[in-house]
Amino acid sequence: MKKLTPNAHIRILSPSSSIDHIGGFEANRASKERLEALGFQISFSSHYNEHDMLGSASIESRIADLHEAFLDDSVDVILTTIGGFNCNELLPYLDYELIKKHPKLFCGYSDTTALLNAIYAKTGLKTYMGPAYSSFKMETLQDYQTESWLTALSQTSYDLTPSQEWGSNAWYLPDAELIFHQTEWKVYNHGQAEATALGGNLSTFSLLRGTPYAPQDTDYLLFLEEAEEDDYFDFDRALAALLQAYPEPKAVLIGRFPKECEMTEELLLYILAKYPVLKTIPVIYDMDFAHTQPLFTVTIGATVSVDTKTMTVHVEEN
């Protein structure tokens, strides 16, 4: 699969929530302008304006947009508009052979977790958990986010490093109060590990259990995070179910919780302490991915090496 190059063509599409659900084209024009300023060509899928009762488009339209993007030889990168709640509806209807024959860099986060892991599971192609199209209109903290995205999509070997500061803010509102904190990745249990990266949004990744679209790797580590609508009770029971389906992770890397989850460090440590396996492998939390800002980009399906003593997380795609 060709890596990101200057002047690459990026196709924006909405496999879950539509662009109208987040204000429409004009409300997100700043994302287009920022990506164009980086030198990229931007195009939009045929049905990006379609918007139904659930804030999405029909399954047929979303599948058509995905297949069209993969078939278009001029498209180098497929970038999702935002997350949502219904990517998993598409999984039985995707032509995975078509996708495998026309590989593209595919990036998104949150609900896109279902597609990222299913495409990897069904085709072996690596995918990218990172910012969506709408993420690029964020002003503050954008430098870290953009740099990580560019690095992951253009290089086959890179390190994940902490941001300087972070926030859990409604940054997309013009009058939102912005509160920032110093970033600190924290260790629950020390260790070293090397395995294949799986996961993303915990609630969405959980939807793949028991389906043909769940990755079947035997040597894996898990990236896990939760969205604003999932509180600490949701995380507690979803983690239990996940560790029953994936009982032998080599490491667990946890993204910061948005403030709406009401997760405290005391609660998180109490939940993690329930699982003996987490006392035998590297576990890091409060990392820069998911539903706080900014977020790094990491390759699903890549080999990730973790060393908590040196606090290094290295990604190798080859």
Side-chain angles (χ1 to χ4, degrees), residues 2 17 47 65 98 123 140 191 195 208 218 239 243 261-262 266 271 273 307 314:
K2 187 175 74 171
S17 289
H47 302 94
D65 282 353
L98 179 155
T123 69
T140 310
L208 302 181
T218 56
L239 181 62
L243 291 176
C261 293
E262 299 183 338
E266 181 183 18
I271 291 168
D307 187 334
H314 180 73

Side-chain angles (χ1 to χ4, degrees), residues 10-154:
I10 302 175
R11 174 66 52 81
I12 312 301
L13 50 73
S14 303
S16 193
S17 289
S18 73
I19 198 165
D20 276 6
H21 190 65
I22 54 171
F25 178 82
E26 286 300 328
N28 294 278
R29 180 184 286 275
S31 293
K32 179 175 182 288
E33 292 173 349
R34 177 168 275 111
L35 288 166
E36 287 175 337
L38 291 169
F40 301 118
Q41 305 171 56
I42 307 301
S43 66
F44 295 86
S45 63
S46 299
H47 302 94
Y48 80 95
N49 270 331
E50 188 174 324
H51 187 74
D52 65 14
M53 292 174 65
L54 298 176
S56 186
S58 69
I59 291 174
E60 293 79 7
S61 292
R62 287 179 281 150
I63 288 291
D65 282 353
L66 278 161
H67 287 167
E68 180 182 36
F70 277 103
L71 280 170
D72 189 335
D73 289 336
S74 77
V75 172
D76 303 299
V77 182
I78 300 173
L79 186 60
T80 63
T81 300
I82 196 170
F85 73 99
N86 59 356
C87 268
N88 67 315
E89 292 178 338
L90 308 182
L91 303 183
Y93 307 105
L94 284 171
D95 186 335
Y96 294 99
E97 280 303 308
L98 179 155
I99 292 170
K100 189 173 183 177
K101 290 177 182 176
H102 301 272
K104 314 283 185 188
L105 300 169
F106 187 96
C107 184
Y109 78 107
S110 193
D111 193 54
T112 309
T113 294
L115 281 171
L116 300 177
N117 287 273
I119 289 172
Y120 166 67
K122 298 292 284 185
T123 69
L125 296 175
K126 296 172 178 65
T127 57
Y128 296 86
M129 180 178 66
Y133 171 67
S134 53
S135 305
F136 285 94
K137 68 182 179 183
M138 184 179 72
E139 292 287 343
T140 310
L141 309 180
Q142 185 62 246
D143 288 349
Y144 169 91
Q145 188 163 270
T146 298
E147 182 179 351
S148 177
W149 181 78
L150 291 170
T151 298
L153 269 64
S154 64

